[in-house]
Amino acid sequence: MRLTVLVALSLLAAGCSGASSAPVQSVPPVSTPAATSGKFKVETLTSGLDHGWDMGFLPDGGILVTQRPGKLALLRNGQLSEVKADFSDVLVNGEGGLMGMVLSSDFATSREFITCQTHKENGNAVDIRLVTWHLADDEASAAKVHDLLTGLPVNPSGRHSGCRPTFAPDGALLVGTGDTARSTISQDRHSLGGKVLRIDAKTGNPLPDNPFITSADPNEQRIYTYGHRNIQGVAIRPGSGQIVTAEHGPAFDDEVNLIKPGANYGWDPSKGGTDSSYDESVPMTDLKRFPDAVSPLWTSGKITEAISGDAFLAGPQWGPNDGALVVVALKGQKLLLYHLDPAGKVLDVTLPPEFNDKYGRLRAPRMGPDGALYVTTDDGTNDKLLRVTPA
């Protein structure tokens, strides 16, 4: 028998902390997996991390790991070492710091990687920016190459900083960003916050086929989707190229979203610009105010799990879970497994018992080149890098 641990969304919005009565879609509940869904083996590759945020896989087997307090680590042959780099300008506060990272597509020759980080000058918060780095041949240090993209909004408290970069199959760099807890930013197409950005990974420029490329504003040209609250997961579905994001809700409705170019995802705590107080009782996807907003593939309903990253399992070694979506949670301290139909509709959501409150807060899932899933923990004390394979 399947044990339901979350309820499906009710069509009554009264349960959403005073949210308006916009219609929402029903979604499958989370259940324990059936015997045929497979089991997982979880290994701890290393401990001693400090708020592990993201990771990148070097061609020869090493793993770079960003840590929110402005630290970069390298795991090689079971040994964890520091990679020295000048992160003195990183604003480390609350949710802000050294966050997402991705290796450049030409890392094998350029040795470059890209980080997303909150930036300060003279102790004051300036912006969130993407920075390109060069890893030394001896892997003991990294040097800044250039600021790839500056001007993403920042909250001095670090709240809702985003920020996850991921490469699409066409080479575009996709970046999920946060609204920095400012009421008008998500719906403002002149701001880079509360968006999915689509840019050139070498220049930071918008790509010529972006949906708002004809705008006179370079910020708007970089926007792929808008109306988001705080995206911390961006994953590409193998085979289809579908972009699926994991997004934090307030006290309800964490969302898994299928990204459609130019679309609005309906978050507007300003209530049409009439409220500057950041009213978090509004619906995550406000279909009453924005009838054309894209409804989520899945939402957590009346609770929040604080979902913080997503990835697709890929390869025949995963058996019935080949192609399944993995979403990890901070507050919920779990890993959820989603099976989708070809269009992206969620067929079922399961909670593998290996990940039910056993590893603390989970931050980032990434598929490794060896076909295993890697997951960082984010408790702030002796954090770990986990390797997950089919049992």
Side-chain angles (χ1 to χ4, degrees):
M1 173 180 285
R2 290 159 59 115
L3 173 64
T4 300
V5 296
L6 288 177
V7 295
L9 276 178
S10 169
L11 293 180
L12 298 175
C16 292
S17 301
S20 68
S21 56
V24 291
Q25 64 178 19
S26 178
V27 291
V30 178
S31 307
T32 55
T36 58
S37 67
K39 296 182 179 180
F40 298 111
K41 176 184 178 182
V42 184
E43 306 169 78
T44 298
L45 294 186
T46 190
S47 56
L49 296 170
D50 186 354
H51 293 286
W53 220 101
D54 210 344
M55 71 205 83
F57 302 93
L58 306 187
D60 60 356
I63 305 174
L64 282 177
V65 184
T66 57
Q67 300 165 88
R68 186 162 51 80
K71 301 176 184 178
L72 184 64
L74 173 69
L75 179 66
R76 180 175 293 286
N77 299 324
Q79 299 297 313
L80 190 68
S81 60
E82 177 188 3
V83 178
K84 294 182 179 180
D86 184 4
F87 293 120
S88 60
D89 60 351
V90 173
L91 174 70
V92 180
N93 198 22
E95 300 167 29
L98 183 60
M99 298 175 288
M101 73 165 295
V102 66
L103 298 189
S104 295
S105 56
D106 62 354
F107 179 88
T109 55
S110 72
R111 299 191 65 78
E112 290 181 353
F113 62 96
I114 298 165
T115 62
C116 194
Q117 53 197 70
T118 45
H119 179 72
K120 66 181 179 182
E121 295 177 6
N122 300 317
N124 298 315
V126 174
D127 61 10
I128 297 171
R129 54 184 55 185
L130 295 166
V131 179
T132 301
W133 298 84
H134 178 270
L135 182 67
D137 289 343
D138 64 3
E139 302 178 337
S141 64
K144 181 178 175 179
V145 178
H146 61 87
D147 291 324
L148 178 63
L149 179 62
T150 63
L152 282 70
V154 65
N155 191 316
S157 72
R159 194 173 181 209
H160 295 186
S161 294
C163 173
R164 184 81 62 186
T166 296
F167 276 105
D170 63 359
L173 183 62
L174 303 168
V175 186
T177 71
D179 68 358
T180 65
R182 303 257 179 47
S183 63
T184 60
I185 278 181
S186 290
Q187 293 297 324
D188 180 1
R189 297 213 305 254
H190 301 290
S191 170
L192 299 175
K195 310 295 189 296
V196 174
L197 309 179
R198 185 172 180 267
I199 60 174
D200 184 295
K202 288 298 183 182
T203 66
N205 292 332
L207 293 173
D209 55 345
N210 277 0
F212 304 113
I213 195 62
T214 59
S215 169
D217 182 357
N219 276 357
E220 189 170 20
Q221 293 174 12
R222 293 181 172 95
I223 292 171
Y224 201 56
T225 59
Y226 63 104
H228 299 285
R229 184 174 181 271
N230 191 21
I231 292 177
Q232 290 190 345
V234 179
I236 309 300
R237 190 176 188 185
S240 73
Q242 291 170 340
I243 304 164
V244 178
T245 60
E247 183 171 350
H248 287 277
F252 53 88
D253 286 351
D254 292 329
E255 288 186 350
V256 173
N257 281 302
L258 180 63
I259 296 303
K260 301 179 180 181
N264 183 359
Y265 285 75
W267 172 247
D268 183 20
S270 78
K271 295 184 287 190
T274 64
D275 191 337
S276 62
S277 67
Y278 198 69
D279 183 353
E280 295 191 84
S281 71
V282 300
M284 270 289 281
T285 304
D286 192 341
L287 295 174
K288 183 176 181 180
R289 187 175 300 278
F290 306 108
D292 295 331
V294 178
S295 294
L297 296 179
W298 177 88
T299 154
S300 61
K302 297 180 182 180
I303 67 170
T304 178
E305 296 280 2
I307 58 177
S308 53
D310 61 346
F312 281 94
L313 302 179
Q317 71 275 15
W318 293 100
N321 291 320
D322 184 13
L325 176 70
V326 163
V327 176
V328 297
L330 295 168
K331 179 181 177 182
Q333 301 189 14
K334 58 174 64 73
L335 179 151
L336 298 172
L337 194 65
Y338 302 68
H339 292 96
L340 312 178
D341 73 5
K345 180 181 178 181
V346 177
L347 302 176
D348 63 74
V349 187
T350 57
L351 170 57
E354 297 91 341
F355 279 98
N356 189 4
D357 298 318
K358 292 186 178 181
Y359 293 97
R361 293 160 56 87
L362 304 178
R363 167 64 69 180
R366 292 280 193 181
M367 282 297 295
D370 59 353
L373 176 73
Y374 292 78
V375 181
T376 59
T377 72
D378 189 6
D379 288 308
T381 303
N382 200 30
D383 282 314
K384 300 173 177 60
L385 176 61
L386 309 174
R387 182 176 184 267
V388 185
T389 53

